[in-house]
Amino acid sequence: MKSHLFKVVAFLVTISLLLAACTPKTGTDTPPATEETAGSGTGPKIVTGAVTYTNTFFTMGVAEPVIILEDQGGFVTRDRKFLIPVESQVIGQITSDFYTSPFTYSLTLPEVPNGTLHDVDHDGADDPGVMVFAVAYWTNTWGDPFLERRDQGGGGWSSAYASTNVSDDSDFYLEVFGGKYLVYAPDGGQSFPSGFGDDKKLFTDDDPIMDLPAGWSVIDLDQSPFSIDRSAEPEIALLEPEGSAADDFSALSYTEAFDKMLEKFKNEYAFTELKKIDWDAKGEEFRPRFEEAEKKKDSHAYALALRDFLWSIPDTHISFDSSPLDADFQAETAGGLGFGMRETDDGKFIANFVLEGGPAAEAGMVWGAEILSLDGVPAGDVVEATVPWSSPFSNPEIKRLQQLRYATRFKLEKGEVEVTFKNPDGAEQAVSLAVVNEFDSFSFASFRAGVDAEALPVEFDLLPSGYGYIKISSFSDNDLLSILVWERAMQYFNENEAPGIILDLRNNGGGSGWLADQMAAYFFNEEIIVGQSAYYDDSTGEFFIDPDREESMIPPREQLQYNGPVVVMIGPNCASACEFFSYNMTINDRAIIVGQYPSEGAGGSVEGFYMPEGLYTQMTIGRAMDADGSIHLEGSGVVPDLRVPVTAETLLQQFNGEDVVLAFAERAISQPLGAGITPSGPPELASAAAASSAFSSGKKFLEDLAREKYESADYAVPGTLTYTVPLLKEETIVWMYAWCTSTKEILNQNFENIEVKFTLDGEDVALDKLRQEDLENGGQWCRLYYTALSKWPAGEHTMSITATFTASINDGSADYEAGDYILEYNVFVKP
């Protein structure tokens, strides 16, 4: 799909040269179309062409690539939310292997298209206008074969892999500056620009104008003036933008390539300021190693230098093709001691794996032994000094886990390691353990241990408890397959009235951020802006945020929305787009996040380039931010609301095959955090003035946060309505009773027969401690009793509002029985 994670086109064009030969007159002084300007022939019938791509992510997740005739009404009117009308979409054929660049296409033009007409001659006269089209590549993921809003990335016009060239300079952003258009004129009296005009923009008042013949014409925007092609079978290439094409430094010397790479990082790396990186200092540190490798023509030394430079940047997204160093990896990790270790929450290092018959077991070490030192160095210091081969890392907590994994790996030549340990309930002992060729302890500690590499991207089931379970393994697999299974799961859980859903994202390496956003949207019933991204603009030397492009979740049709409680399980192997999805589920406290550890902390988008020896290299170029413009994931990741303890007990359960995290997730969804805990006291009641301020400023009501939603008819009869309110963070909440009538007189009459009582944690709340207001709203008169609650102690709070109707009443439109109308709230505050 058209990914907004990729920079759009960035060709450098000298516009003055482009316009130098532009002589047609402007305004209404229009030259007649001639064979020279209009071309010969009766107009295009079939368009063919090729699409060349070098971007390594171009085919990621694509299952249904399409070439379409794309209505350019959005660009003509500069409407960034323009949706390409379905009736205007003419779908072409891909005529070669899409997964091999370049691929070819063929598109048959309709005799009369159904695009949007635009009068583009700006002469003041009311003309029918013309239809303007580009040929463009898209991918179809949702719905029928045509592109809906989600397929179109929210709307707009093509910025990549289309027949037009589009700028990504911030002061000229998304303006078309070259390429080809297909234009349809309904009659011979229409006109079209013949150049860009002095403002260098198309479809503006200063455009020079030329006449168009009726029917189809190809307009070449790279000619000055624009030329018209009326041949029956024109060839139109779809253009890969410079900003999407992979930079290729592979033909340069090692040192020249390093200089280019360093300059690229210095300019385009997304988190220089956040991570306080001094690129000049890195140049001074690493350039001599590249020079030495070049001098000696030592490709191995070059690969090591490249590795160490990239490892020095604390960013999980940074990587390279390390295959030239496979032998080094094998040599440095070949030796093990027959045990692996983990760090518990209380700071102890315990053996959470002991290989039967291995050196550690033969020396008397048992599962759960506390590891005190290796070769006389305290275990904590050994871990801290370890440099994992899985470097670099954005999140220090994730780095620590990999350091634990690699701390017990050695070269076989080391021979032996002195280990001091203490078995549970045993005495401290020091033993010399042989370094042997065993990988079981290393494999056991892998983040992907036990993961099925052949699993579908989305799998679902009902757990024995009755809760729904969905595992999302990737956002980079087959997008269409992912959505088909995803929607089937939503439908299945809704049909079976699943009381809650647990989402398992513990082993999801990411992929398409747009796909992740839209899959999260199935748990919301309104469109929500979730973030924005910034990219380097080489025309200004600064990072640029497109003010008109906010990333949002677009909910599906109502039948596919799930409104029940949700828990999301994460872990250190949840990265990038996985983290975007998980973060989205924290918006409006939509889900409880459960895990032993946070996610990877890889909060950006990436771009690949090539270094000498053909080594593919990757860096972070997109700075992902939340809706308020704050960097929100890079370095920290998504942090669990419920941290599953890392103790000897939970590690032993995991060693024995128990899914401790899933058990905690089921507990969290069935029994909210704080359940069963007696709070130290009630929340704080606001003063009348503070309550009024909270109400007027839009603070949430208890009902807004509740799992249950009721219809208006549910409130119209005596009885009890119960609300379950999980409170995952400290916030001020409005607690209110309201009764409305058609007139002020009826309101006063009704309250002669209404008694209101508030109780909080077993104690009555006097009405004089609440704010009372009578106000007119929407043609009704309402009486409000309310307060604002804050500073909630952890635990389970019980609250209620009882409105006793001592006699039947009428609010001016309906009768209500006498009786108790009770609103009961169970508020669970996370410890």
Side-chain angles (χ1 to χ4, degrees):
M1 69 185 300
K2 293 294 173 59
S3 173
H4 295 291
L5 297 183
F6 297 151
K7 293 186 294 182
V8 290
V9 72
F11 279 95
L12 301 177
V13 176
T14 306
I15 301 296
S16 59
L17 292 177
L18 184 66
L19 299 178
C22 187
T23 58
K25 299 177 183 179
T26 62
T28 58
D29 190 4
T30 305
T34 65
E35 186 169 310
E36 180 179 354
T37 60
S40 59
T42 58
K45 307 293 184 185
I46 298 175
V47 179
T48 59
V51 184
T52 301
Y53 58 88
T54 63
N55 192 296
T56 53
F57 299 102
F58 181 82
T59 60
M60 183 185 74
V62 177
E64 197 170 291
V66 293
I67 300 294
I68 71 164
L69 193 62
E70 178 185 286
D71 190 327
Q72 290 287 286
F75 176 64
V76 174
T77 61
R78 304 309 197 271
D79 178 5
R80 295 288 299 281
K81 297 187 184 301
F82 176 83
L83 295 180
I84 307 167
V86 169
E87 60 270 18
S88 76
Q89 296 177 32
V90 177
I91 300 176
Q93 292 180 304
I94 292 176
T95 54
S96 70
D97 180 15
F98 167 77
Y99 298 96
T100 301
S101 176
F103 67 90
T104 58
Y105 76 90
S106 173
L107 190 151
T108 301
L109 299 177
E111 185 173 346
V112 179
N114 288 315
T116 54
L117 282 165
H118 298 276
D119 184 1
V120 296
D121 60 14
H122 296 271
D123 63 358
D126 188 12
D127 300 316
V130 297
M131 300 180 200
V132 185
F133 298 91
V135 183
Y137 156 77
W138 289 88
T139 179
N140 182 39
T141 301
W142 284 272
D144 60 26
F146 297 96
L147 305 181
E148 61 152 81
R149 185 182 175 204
R150 289 174 292 179
D151 292 314
Q152 296 179 42
W157 58 91
S158 281
S159 59
Y161 304 100
S163 60
T164 50
N165 265 323
V166 181
S167 174
D168 68 352
D169 289 349
S170 57
D171 59 354
F172 205 64
Y173 194 60
L174 297 188
E175 290 291 330
V176 172
F177 65 84
K180 292 180 179 179
Y181 272 138
L182 277 160
V183 180
Y184 178 84
D187 56 50
Q190 305 306 311
S191 302
F192 192 84
S194 62
F196 290 101
D198 292 338
D199 65 2
K200 303 177 184 178
K201 295 182 179 180
L202 201 56
F203 307 126
T204 57
D205 288 343
D206 68 347
D207 292 350
I209 298 299
M210 62 183 176
D211 290 338
L212 279 186
W216 286 103
S217 298
V218 175
I219 309 297
D220 190 338
L221 308 177
D222 294 323
Q223 302 300 314
S224 182
F226 299 162
S227 66
I228 301 175
D229 181 0
R230 297 274 289 171
S231 58
E233 298 188 9
E235 290 188 8
I236 300 179
L238 305 195
L239 309 171
E240 180 175 58
E242 185 177 89
S244 291
D247 286 331
D248 191 347
F249 307 139
S250 60
L252 303 177
S253 70
Y254 295 161
T255 308
E256 290 170 336
F258 172 76
D259 290 341
K260 288 286 188 182
M261 176 178 64
L262 185 67
E263 185 68 15
K264 184 175 179 67
F265 270 98
K266 190 174 183 179
N267 291 330
E268 300 178 37
Y269 178 66
F271 299 113
T272 295
E273 293 79 13
L274 178 71
K275 300 177 186 289
K276 298 180 174 60
I277 299 176
D278 185 338
W279 295 110
D280 292 333
K282 288 196 179 295
E284 293 177 7
E285 178 182 359
F286 289 99
R287 193 175 194 274
R289 292 182 57 182
F290 284 83
E291 291 175 331
E292 184 69 14
E294 181 179 328
K295 181 180 178 181
K296 295 182 177 180
K297 298 182 180 180
D298 188 338
S299 61
H300 182 254
Y302 152 72
L304 287 172
L306 179 60
R307 179 200 71 174
D308 292 346
F309 168 75
L310 296 174
W311 281 8
S312 75
I313 305 166
D315 187 327
T316 300
H317 267 138
I318 290 174
S319 64
F320 78 115
D321 174 9
S322 62
S323 55
L325 301 177
D326 284 351
D328 299 72
F329 168 77
Q330 294 293 335
E332 292 182 18
T333 61
L337 304 174
F339 78 91
M341 61 181 176
R342 282 276 287 279
E343 187 174 9
T344 58
D345 290 339
D346 59 4
K348 292 181 179 179
F349 299 90
I350 69 169
N352 71 321
F353 176 88
V354 178
L355 178 64
E356 184 178 353
E362 292 295 310
M365 183 185 294
V366 300
W367 196 101
E370 183 179 359
I371 309 301
L372 302 174
S373 67
L374 289 84
D375 280 340
V377 180
D381 293 344
V382 172
V383 171
E384 185 67 29
T386 299
V387 179
W389 270 87
S390 50
S391 299
F393 305 94
S394 295
N395 190 337
E397 195 167 350
I398 309 306
K399 177 181 179 180
R400 182 76 168 184
L401 285 171
Q402 289 286 28
Q403 287 176 311
L404 283 161
R405 184 184 183 212
Y406 281 85
T408 55
R409 307 310 300 176
F410 307 92
K411 291 183 177 181
L412 288 172
E413 303 90 87
K414 182 170 178 59
E416 61 182 25
V417 175
E418 184 179 294
V419 178
T420 303
F421 67 93
K422 181 181 177 182
N423 282 329
D425 301 323
E428 181 179 315
Q429 54 184 311
V431 296
S432 291
L433 300 183
V435 176
V436 299
N437 189 14
E438 63 87 7
F439 276 92
D440 290 347
S441 61
F442 190 58
S443 299
F444 178 81
S446 170
F447 288 172
R448 293 190 60 80
V451 174
D452 180 4
E454 304 302 319
L456 293 173
V458 176
E459 298 175 315
F460 69 95
D461 201 355
L462 275 176
L463 297 171
S465 60
Y467 290 101
Y469 170 85
I470 310 179
K471 181 171 68 175
I472 312 172
S473 300
S474 176
F475 293 110
S476 61
D477 204 309
N478 184 311
D479 288 354
L480 181 58
L481 173 62
S482 296
I483 290 300
L484 289 173
V485 180
W486 185 248
E487 292 191 340
R488 182 68 187 91
M490 294 299 112
Q491 183 178 352
Y492 178 77
F493 292 138
N494 280 328
E495 289 174 351
N496 287 276
E497 298 181 344
I501 292 178
I502 297 172
L503 302 174
D504 190 346
L505 283 92
R506 289 175 290 178
N507 287 290
N508 184 318
S512 167
W514 177 257
L515 181 67
D517 289 343
Q518 302 325 307
M519 288 175 69
Y522 287 67
F523 296 101
F524 295 84
N525 50 33
E526 62 180 357
E527 186 168 335
I528 296 176
I529 296 171
V530 298
Q532 51 192 320
S533 296
Y535 296 91
Y536 178 71
D537 176 10
D538 57 9
S539 70
T540 64
E542 303 290 337
F543 272 73
F544 170 65
I545 301 173
D546 176 9
D548 295 320
R549 176 62 69 182
E550 293 174 310
E551 293 148 16
S552 61
M553 293 186 288
I554 304 170
R557 66 183 188 275
E558 185 177 352
Q559 294 85 343
L560 292 174
Q561 297 169 15
Y562 182 80
N563 296 311
V566 180
V567 167
V568 177
M569 297 189 293
I570 61 168
N573 210 33
C574 171
S576 197
C578 176
E579 300 179 89
F580 296 150
F581 180 100
S582 303
Y583 165 76
N584 292 344
M585 296 302 294
T586 71
I587 294 173
N588 297 336
D589 296 323
R590 183 63 186 92
I592 298 172
I593 311 298
V594 174
Q596 283 186 309
Y597 303 99
S599 61
E600 274 272 14
S605 52
V606 300
E607 178 179 272
F609 59 95
Y610 291 92
M611 292 290 284
E613 312 298 342
L615 298 186
Y616 171 81
T617 308
Q618 181 175 287
M619 65 179 286
T620 309
I621 60 163
R623 183 183 299 162
M625 297 169 289
D626 62 19
D628 295 325
S630 300
I631 296 171
H632 63 317
L633 291 173
E634 179 64 31
S636 59
V638 178
V639 179
D641 297 310
L642 174 60
R643 280 256 190 176
V644 180
V646 182
T647 63
E649 179 184 3
T650 57
L651 289 175
L652 182 58
Q653 289 173 317
Q654 289 173 306
F655 177 77
N656 290 327
E658 296 181 40
D659 194 334
V660 174
V661 178
L662 179 58
F664 270 73
E666 288 197 78
R667 191 180 312 164
I669 201 168
S670 62
Q671 189 176 39
L673 306 183
I677 299 175
T678 301
S680 60
E684 183 177 291
L685 270 70
S687 66
S692 179
S693 176
F695 175 54
S696 60
S697 66
K699 294 294 186 184
K700 292 178 181 177
F701 292 79
L702 279 169
E703 290 81 358
D704 294 332
L705 301 174
R707 289 179 174 176
E708 299 83 0
K709 304 297 176 187
Y710 296 106
E711 301 295 332
S712 57
D714 297 326
Y715 298 91
V717 294
T720 301
L721 300 180
T722 302
Y723 292 97
T724 305
V725 184
L727 195 56
L728 301 179
K729 62 183 179 182
E730 170 56 38
E731 59 184 305
T732 299
I733 305 172
V734 176
W735 185 27
M736 175 184 287
Y737 175 77
W739 180 256
C740 298
T741 62
S742 57
T743 68
K744 179 74 174 290
E745 181 181 7
I746 294 176
L747 182 68
N748 290 328
Q749 291 173 354
N750 281 181
F751 268 91
E752 292 176 3
N753 296 300
I754 299 177
E755 298 174 356
V756 180
K757 183 174 74 172
F758 283 64
T759 61
L760 174 58
D761 287 342
E763 299 290 334
D764 290 347
V765 179
L767 293 184
D768 60 10
K769 291 187 177 181
L770 306 176
R771 175 84 174 184
Q772 178 182 332
E773 292 184 44
D774 287 356
L775 54 84
E776 188 177 16
N777 180 45
Q780 289 190 314
W781 276 90
C782 301
R783 179 162 297 170
L784 314 179
Y785 294 93
Y786 66 93
T787 187
L789 303 172
S790 61
K791 299 181 181 178
W792 295 80
E796 184 175 348
H797 297 267
T798 57
M799 307 159 58
S800 67
I801 300 174
T802 302
T804 301
F805 290 15
T806 58
S808 62
I809 61 175
N810 184 289
D811 65 355
S813 60
D815 294 318
Y816 297 87
E817 301 175 41
D820 289 334
Y821 295 74
I822 303 171
L823 303 177
E824 192 172 272
Y825 307 85
N826 296 301
V827 181
F828 300 91
V829 182
K830 183 185 77 168

